[in-house]
Amino acid sequence: MAEYGNIVRRAVGQLTGHGGVKGFLLQLFRVNDIKTGALVGIDKYGNKYYEDNRYFFGRHRWVTYTTEMNGKNTLWEVDGSMVPAEWHRWLHCMTDDPPTTHPPEPKKFLAKVHQFNNSGTLNCYVPYSTTRKKIHEWVPPKAGEK
Amino acid sequence: MLRWPAVSRALAGAAHSKGSITTTNNVQTSVRASSNMVEVFVDGKPVMVESGTTVLQACEKVGVQIPRFCYHDRLSVAGNCRMCLVEIEKAPKPVAACAMPVMKGWNILTNSEKTRKAREGVMEFLLSNHPLDCPICDQGGECDLQDQSMMFGADRSRFTEGKRAVEDKNIGPLIKTIMTRCIHCTRCVRFASEVAGVEDLGTTGRGNSMQIGTYVEKMFMSELSGNVIDLCPVGALTSKPYAFTARPWETRKTESIDVLDAVGSNIVVSTRGGEVMRILPRLNEDVNEEWISDKTRFAYDGLKRQRLTQPMVKDASGQLVATTWEDVLTRVAGALQGVQGSEVGAVAGGMVDAEALVALKDLLNKLDSDTLCTEEIFPMAGAGTDLRSNYLLNSRITGIEECDLLLLVGTNPRYEAPLFNSRIRKSWLHNELQVAMVGHKVDLSYSYTHLGETTQVLQEIAAGTHPFCKVLAQAKKPVVVLGSSTLQREDGAAIFKAVSTIAQNSRVSSGVEDGWKVLNVLHRVASQVAALDLGYKPGVNAIQKNPPKVLFLLGADAGCITRADLPKDSFIIYQGHHGDVGAVMADVILPGAAYTEKNGTYVNTEGRAQQTRVAVTAPGMAREDWKVLRAISELAGVTLPYDTPDEVRRRLEEVSPNLVRYDDVEEANYFKQAHELSKAVNQSLLAAPLVPPQLTVKDFYMTDPISRASQTMAKCVKAVTEGAAAVDEPSIC
């Protein structure tokens, strides 16, 4: 009997826990999942990270994305690559320590502002040749420097 | 020895290569008047050979190639590899075919049981100490050991011992040595001592601990050193610049001619993916036999650096900026439309093909100008360049083999024309040629009588008062070679007169028949003879006397004419392939093609017209030279009458028919008349000694725009001046 009560209580918590009808609908249509959990942290772009270990492995940590990142409105066009590196580690269960308790080691290759996937945009990666040049052109001397 | 079955088919009955004047070039059988023909049988087939030929040569005459490692038909016979063992019927032991002269009635069995067993045994021994380097060895794919072990070796191995290893020797920045692979055929040792004349390589130790090397830390710095790379049958001596770059089956081979010196050696340009991978020699008995000089072989990386790829124009601030062909061609055409007669002039450099030379001459002639000069001076007094015999190497390179006294005047053929020098050395070694030299004492890789270096000596020989004149008078077939560097001096005409007198006197006193030519001129640049044939004025005097308003530099990088010689607002157009001296002073740059990128006709110093072929396309926006000139002519309103290469060639034939008779030397005559005309020359000899510009090997490597742009050549110069250890090589080498 008591466990049915718990279930009902949790369900009601999920319905009301997103801040009113508008928040609930926003969560429902943006995230497609109305489960609530403990807020573990927010990164500097606005992505919110939640955890609830009562769910099975794989559903126990999740992220709700921010509404604007890298100059693009991501209210409806969310992308998994919006998660920055330090949170990615925790979100994918490579570790149990979120960056809030264990800040990441600064690395040279980590960008200051994390860029999400640029495929199809103007900033996309275009492969280029890394072999040495076959013909080296003659560079004319600078005028005035005789 | 590539592709054994193909080679044996090719050799079937075809022992004569291109136009050989001297048919026998093997030392051991230089029994000149052997009239005895001996009959031998090769596998039952009868063949008549001269007595004294070896078993190997008799088999080759039939078309049967006997495998060998140490035998080479241009070196002395060593007979130490034992791969050529063949069974003679009714003989107790197999004989080394390369060394054994044939006897009458022998039946040589080249494929019998005993012969095959012998070859398998020798191959087994050779492979027992040979490292398993095929995947990392540069010679893979063209390795004699690989080919012969596939054809003649056993299919299974019974080797269970350990192999010996040998340290690598550092013999310079050109040759990579991995001496563990060496099979001690001693081809390199014999080449160095016989053909190159430097006795640096030798064998140390014996048996298993034999090593080939220089024994002391010494560089093999001969100008022909790269040829040991071709000679070595295994990958012990390979090319350092070419190391690990390509495999032979990936490359496309294009037959072409070398233009870095005036000899016109026949080469094969190996390319892959649109860049030149390496340059190999091609057999031509008349010009370069099978050798090429180091500059020819290794300067190809200069073709990839300092290249002119875009047309350039000097903008308002005096800086050369890249632009389009339309822009540049309209500018040049505009400049040419405004000038007439002697207001426009041209200077041709050392690596220009005959097609471009004739196109430029026609273009300027249509503008009523005849001020077309070459950078190299040739004295115009006397007969000048009107008689062809005055400026050619008349005796031809093969003529050196028949002559018995050679007089060199003011030249260092070792570094000016290394293959000519190797021919002289061959004659000196095998045919007892006597060589005398008037000029600075240099090391010529053979001994010669040094007569002195002053012009006084020349005058005395010409007058008949020098003690050498007695020797000259007794010579049966004398040859006099005059270097073109002496003709660059102010007294060039007087020197030519003196040498012409010497040549004429010795010809008369020797009583040689009419076909023999005595007087020769050895040029140093590849385009000089073609330019003189087409009617260019040698030397830039004409331009210096009447400085033109528009100057066309066609590959002219020797710096004979500078801005200072021309009026202040003159317009200089440079057409060439490298950014060297000429491009810096130009107002407009037209990128042209280098010798590997065009079908160009070049005439070597003997007067032999040869053709280079397109091996790679010209880089960037560069085009063939005569096509650029044809385009300019059309825009300038004086359209040249040819549109296709065939029409250009017909024009060349119209002007000078020998230019299209490829690989043939036209006879040139009128020596007596030239001599009479030169007698009228009234110039006195200067007292300065006759010193050629290239004295040591350091001066050999960087002499023209391509070799000056080459990093390999720079490494060679550094190695020669500072020692082999000073050149830093990548560590994998």
Side-chain angles (χ1 to χ4, degrees):
Chain A
M1 247 342 267
E3 55 269 25
Y4 296 123
N6 277 340
I7 292 169
V8 171
R9 219 169 290 132
R10 274 173 73 191
V12 171
Q14 284 183 358
L15 288 174
T16 57
H18 295 290
V21 178
K22 192 157 167 236
F24 172 78
L25 288 173
L26 207 63
Q27 174 83 1
L28 181 63
F29 289 115
R30 273 190 87 215
V31 185
N32 299 324
D33 196 351
I34 50 178
K35 61 184 197 248
T36 49
L39 177 68
V40 175
I42 309 183
D43 65 27
K44 71 179 198 206
Y45 311 99
N47 302 314
K48 296 195 173 88
Y49 300 89
Y50 298 91
E51 184 176 21
D52 187 345
N53 286 324
R54 287 180 293 193
Y55 295 110
F56 63 81
F57 182 88
R59 278 182 64 86
H60 62 305
R61 293 178 186 169
W62 64 94
V63 56
T64 54
Y65 294 103
T66 180
T67 50
E68 206 224 314
M69 187 168 170
N70 286 352
K72 176 178 157 200
N73 182 348
T74 54
L75 185 61
W76 295 114
E77 282 149 15
V78 294
D79 189 23
S81 62
M82 283 161 62
V83 173
E86 63 272 14
W87 279 107
H88 181 273
R89 203 160 171 249
W90 172 83
L91 187 62
H92 284 249
C93 309
M94 292 190 215
T95 177
D96 283 329
D97 309 317
T100 47
T101 53
H102 290 76
E105 222 179 273
K107 292 271 187 212
K108 259 193 285 198
F109 50 78
L110 293 176
K112 297 263 183 322
V113 177
H114 177 79
Q115 302 290 321
F116 58 70
N117 193 354
N118 279 326
S119 313
T121 65
L122 287 169
N123 302 333
C124 65
Y125 170 74
V126 179
Y128 50 88
S129 160
T130 49
T131 55
R132 62 172 84 105
K133 273 209 306 195
K134 280 191 186 164
I135 302 278
H136 295 261
E137 296 86 17
W138 176 68
V139 176
K142 290 252 178 315
E145 255 178 42
K146 281 294 157 71
Chain B
M1 290 294 154
L2 309 174
R3 310 283 185 273
W4 281 90
V7 173
S8 58
R9 270 196 291 276
L11 273 181
H16 300 287
S17 46
K18 272 164 54 117
S20 47
I21 293 179
T22 52
T23 47
T24 53
N25 47 22
N26 185 310
V27 178
Q28 305 308 312
T29 64
S30 63
V31 183
R32 304 247 191 166
S34 60
S35 50
N36 311 338
M37 297 290 272
V38 174
E39 195 193 23
V40 279
F41 299 89
V42 176
D43 291 332
K45 273 188 291 232
V47 58
M48 300 292 287
V49 294
E50 292 171 354
S51 79
T53 59
T54 54
V55 172
L56 195 141
Q57 287 169 333
C59 292
E60 253 177 36
K61 209 163 168 196
V62 183
V64 174
Q65 262 243 339
I66 295 182
R68 81 295 290 264
F69 289 111
C70 67
Y71 174 78
H72 191 85
D73 51 358
R74 290 182 209 279
L75 304 172
S76 55
V77 173
N80 57 32
C81 71
R82 311 312 286 174
M83 192 65 189
C84 57
L85 294 173
V86 290
E87 183 191 359
I88 311 286
E89 208 171 7
K90 298 191 227 95
K93 304 203 258 194
V95 305
C98 63
M100 179 70 78
V102 296
M103 305 288 204
K104 195 163 81 95
W106 268 2
N107 187 8
I108 304 163
L109 304 168
T110 56
N111 217 4
S112 69
E113 189 62 42
K114 228 162 123 189
T115 309
R116 273 185 272 136
K117 273 257 165 301
R119 287 173 186 165
E120 283 174 20
V122 171
M123 190 52 72
E124 187 179 357
F125 276 127
L126 282 173
L127 291 171
S128 70
N129 259 332
H130 197 77
L132 306 180
D133 277 353
C134 287
I136 53 172
C137 176
D138 272 321
Q139 199 93 347
E142 45 185 15
C143 176
D144 279 2
L145 200 63
Q146 273 183 346
D147 297 340
Q148 288 183 31
S149 68
M150 287 303 286
M151 278 201 76
F152 306 108
D155 56 341
R156 54 208 77 185
S157 152
R158 29 186 194 184
F159 186 75
T160 49
E161 294 87 36
K163 296 187 190 246
R164 65 100 173 88
V166 180
E167 286 159 2
D168 298 340
K169 323 276 185 294
N170 183 1
I171 54 176
L174 297 174
I175 302 175
K176 181 170 165 195
T177 59
I178 301 181
M179 301 318 283
T180 316
R181 302 176 187 162
C182 177
I183 55 172
H184 312 309
C185 67
T186 62
R187 270 188 190 174
C188 53
V189 173
R190 283 175 278 143
F191 174 84
S193 91
E194 289 169 29
V195 181
V198 287
E199 313 244 328
D200 282 344
L201 290 173
T203 60
T204 325
R206 37 190 298 194
N208 208 23
S209 39
M210 179 154 149
Q211 296 193 15
I212 304 246
T214 52
Y215 190 61
V216 290
E217 274 272 332
K218 200 175 173 198
M219 275 197 307
F220 182 32
M221 272 285 131
S222 154
E223 73 285 359
L224 294 172
S225 68
N227 293 299
V228 292
I229 296 168
D230 293 332
L231 280 175
C232 185
V234 296
L237 300 174
T238 50
S239 163
K240 229 181 222 180
Y242 176 69
F244 306 131
T245 53
R247 283 294 189 192
W249 60 81
E250 301 179 311
T251 57
R252 301 186 187 193
K253 292 98 172 136
T254 312
E255 305 193 337
S256 183
I257 303 290
D258 165 60
V259 303
L260 298 182
D261 60 11
V263 174
S265 341
N266 293 20
I267 55 175
V268 167
V269 182
S270 299
T271 60
R272 178 191 68 172
E275 59 175 305
V276 175
M277 287 280 124
R278 65 174 170 174
I279 292 188
L280 290 176
R282 206 169 19 123
L283 175 65
N284 185 337
E285 289 291 346
D286 302 332
V287 181
N288 64 317
E289 294 181 297
E290 270 177 55
W291 319 124
I292 46 175
S293 71
D294 277 358
K295 199 167 38 175
T296 308
R297 190 185 287 267
F298 294 113
Y300 61 86
D301 62 331
L303 289 168
K304 305 174 194 164
R305 305 186 74 243
Q306 305 272 43
R307 290 302 299 266
L308 300 173
T309 53
Q310 305 274 348
M312 289 193 183
V313 136
K314 235 181 203 158
D315 63 7
S317 64
Q319 172 70 24
L320 283 162
V321 287
T323 173
T324 60
W325 270 115
E326 289 89 359
D327 182 21
V328 129
L329 286 177
T330 38
R331 268 178 213 258
V332 172
L336 288 178
Q337 270 169 342
V339 289
Q340 275 281 52
S342 69
E343 295 171 352
V344 57
V347 180
M351 289 198 286
V352 192
D353 55 331
E355 282 90 352
L357 289 170
V358 82
L360 186 60
K361 185 156 205 289
D362 283 345
L363 176 61
L364 256 59
N365 285 350
K366 278 190 195 270
L367 295 172
D368 209 20
S369 161
D370 202 23
T371 333
L372 293 124
C373 307
T374 64
E375 287 181 322
E376 287 261 314
I377 303 175
F378 192 87
M380 290 302 281
T385 54
D386 291 334
L387 297 174
R388 254 188 118 224
S389 54
N390 256 9
Y391 57 82
L392 289 183
L393 196 79
N394 295 297
S395 322
R396 307 188 198 187
I397 299 180
T398 45
I400 302 294
E401 290 187 28
E402 291 163 19
C403 103
D404 60 349
L405 177 65
L406 176 66
L407 175 63
L408 299 166
V409 179
T411 174
N412 185 358
R414 189 169 185 197
Y415 300 127
E416 290 176 13
L419 294 153
F420 182 62
N421 197 53
S422 78
R423 199 68 80 123
I424 299 176
R425 188 189 155 84
K426 182 181 164 191
S427 247
W428 173 83
L429 197 60
H430 303 322
N431 301 342
E432 289 167 12
L433 170 69
Q434 281 186 349
V435 184
M437 156 112 103
V438 178
H440 193 83
K441 193 164 174 61
V442 286
D443 178 16
L444 279 180
S445 79
Y446 42 82
S447 68
Y448 58 91
T449 325
H450 184 227
L451 300 173
E453 68 176 46
T454 55
T455 50
Q456 180 72 7
V457 177
L458 261 188
Q459 261 174 335
E460 284 177 15
I461 303 178
T465 55
H466 199 273
F468 181 67
C469 296
K470 279 203 263 315
V471 182
L472 201 53
Q474 284 165 352
K476 296 281 179 323
K477 286 192 167 183
V479 165
V480 177
V481 173
L482 175 60
S484 65
S485 49
T486 43
L487 300 171
Q488 312 289 306
R489 296 157 43 124
E490 279 110 28
D491 57 345
I495 294 180
F496 194 84
K497 173 179 165 187
V499 173
S500 174
T501 320
I502 298 172
Q504 200 62 15
N505 291 348
S506 64
R507 161 172 251 273
V508 164
S509 61
S510 70
V512 74
E513 80 276 1
D514 270 338
W516 184 258
K517 320 264 182 346
V518 182
L519 177 64
N520 297 296
V521 177
L522 183 66
H523 289 286
R524 290 168 302 152
V525 290
S527 58
Q528 184 69 4
V529 177
L532 295 178
D533 278 347
L534 287 169
Y536 274 63
K537 299 189 169 66
V540 289
N541 271 343
I543 291 189
Q544 280 169 335
K545 275 201 216 104
N546 300 334
K549 282 212 212 102
V550 174
L551 182 64
F552 208 104
L553 296 173
L554 190 60
D557 288 313
C560 297
I561 294 276
T562 56
R563 281 243 170 230
D565 302 317
L566 300 169
K568 224 168 93 60
D569 53 351
S570 58
F571 192 71
I572 300 186
I573 306 156
Y574 178 81
Q575 181 176 343
H577 44 78
H578 271 76
D580 210 294
V581 173
V584 173
M585 61 168 153
D587 290 310
V588 163
I589 294 182
L590 306 167
Y595 72 100
T596 46
E597 297 150 8
K598 59 184 169 187
N599 283 329
T601 307
Y602 289 89
V603 186
N604 75 351
T605 176
E606 306 170 300
R608 188 188 300 268
Q610 299 178 104
Q611 209 186 17
T612 62
R613 300 222 177 253
V614 177
V616 287
T617 48
M621 303 294 288
R623 300 284 179 264
E624 279 193 33
D625 295 301
W626 74 266
K627 290 184 186 167
V628 175
L629 292 163
R630 166 74 178 77
I632 293 174
S633 74
E634 184 151 356
L635 286 177
V638 287
T639 313
L640 293 171
Y642 25 86
D643 294 328
T644 66
D646 278 332
E647 288 177 22
V648 182
R649 232 158 263 145
R650 235 172 284 151
R651 173 76 184 135
L652 277 176
E653 188 175 5
E654 208 185 345
V655 176
S656 177
N658 68 293
L659 290 174
V660 291
R661 312 246 198 277
Y662 293 119
D663 306 316
D664 248 340
V665 183
E666 286 290 321
E667 300 280 341
N669 234 318
Y670 305 118
F671 289 98
K672 221 167 15 158
Q673 287 80 350
H675 178 60
E676 299 290 324
L677 284 167
S678 74
K679 277 202 204 138
V681 167
N682 211 352
Q683 211 183 44
S684 59
L685 292 166
L686 295 176
L690 297 164
V691 183
Q694 294 182 1
L695 290 174
T696 59
V697 74
K698 191 161 51 82
D699 310 316
F700 165 64
Y701 290 114
M702 296 175 118
T703 54
D704 51 76
I706 297 181
S707 50
R708 280 195 286 261
S710 157
Q711 286 172 316
T712 317
M713 294 290 108
K715 277 191 203 156
C716 290
V717 175
K718 192 169 180 201
V720 169
T721 45
E722 294 170 31
V727 182
D728 49 64
E729 304 283 350
S731 54
I732 48 164
C733 228

